[in-house]
Amino acid sequence: GRAKEKSETSISKFYKLEKDKIKIIKEDSKGRIWIATDNQGIFTYIPDKEQYTYDGLLNSDIYSLTVTALECDIYGNIWVGTLEGLIRYNFDTKELVRFTQTDGLAANEVTSLFIDKNQKIWIGTKGKGVTTYTKGKFEIKLKEKPLPGIYL
């Protein structure tokens, strides 16, 4: 209907998104839509209010990083994979934490994210396998390097 058309038009006009590549779109547990772009960071659309936000705190931390993956958990966090680690951000509390190999990731270059039904975060990395994150701890699940040319 009309509301849908209006929302789609608004998304393409917001911050000139029509001139950027939209890479990932995810919905969080509160119904917010997270839009990751190639060059302008991450935007949030709140459908009930027809409101867009561009969070300076989140985007200042990822501005120089390339967003490679995005997931949302049931606790209100978004998880952002980058070429230089993993970011956990809470829209409501504005808490932002960045994780790297020093914290327990198999590699800094995150290629994919998945959150299972138990809220375990599965983190795919380039050439170093899979790491999981649950209850505040990282665990490397696949330590051996995959076959050449195959990245998880």
Side-chain angles (χ1 to χ4, degrees):
R2 278 188 169 276
K4 185 176 180 186
E5 289 170 9
K6 183 177 181 185
S7 295
E8 289 172 355
T9 301
S10 298
I11 288 174
S12 68
K13 297 288 185 199
F14 185 68
Y15 274 82
K16 300 180 182 174
L17 286 179
E18 73 273 8
K19 294 182 180 181
D20 202 349
K21 178 182 174 186
I22 295 175
K23 296 172 72 172
I24 306 165
I25 301 173
K26 294 282 182 175
E27 181 178 21
D28 71 15
S29 62
K30 295 187 177 181
R32 294 178 289 234
I33 308 298
W34 294 86
I35 304 165
T37 67
D38 225 11
N39 300 306
Q40 297 181 68
I42 297 176
F43 297 84
T44 312
Y45 175 64
I46 304 168
D48 295 347
K49 298 180 181 179
E50 291 191 17
Q51 175 187 15
Y52 295 88
T53 62
Y54 183 81
D55 192 297
L57 176 63
L58 172 62
N59 284 292
S60 67
D61 201 65
I62 65 166
Y63 183 75
S64 64
L65 307 175
T66 300
V67 175
T68 56
L70 181 73
E71 273 296 339
C72 306
D73 68 23
I74 62 170
Y75 308 111
N77 298 307
I78 66 159
W79 296 82
V80 181
T82 74
L83 296 178
E84 297 180 32
L86 178 68
I87 296 168
R88 180 184 67 208
Y89 178 70
N90 188 291
F91 182 84
D92 297 318
T93 66
K94 304 299 182 203
E95 180 188 24
L96 187 144
V97 181
R98 190 165 169 201
F99 302 103
T100 64
Q101 270 184 289
T102 306
D103 301 298
L105 285 175
N108 285 335
E109 193 168 336
V110 175
T111 57
S112 58
L113 292 171
F114 173 72
I115 300 177
D116 68 21
K117 64 181 179 178
N118 298 315
Q119 295 304 294
K120 181 182 284 190
I121 317 292
W122 294 79
I123 306 142
T125 61
K126 183 175 180 181
K128 298 286 185 176
V130 176
T131 304
T132 60
Y133 180 85
T134 187
K135 299 179 182 174
K137 293 185 178 182
F138 287 100
E139 183 180 345
I140 297 173
K141 293 289 190 184
L142 178 61
K143 296 179 184 178
E144 299 299 318
K145 186 173 180 176
L147 296 173
I150 297 177
Y151 302 113
L152 299 174

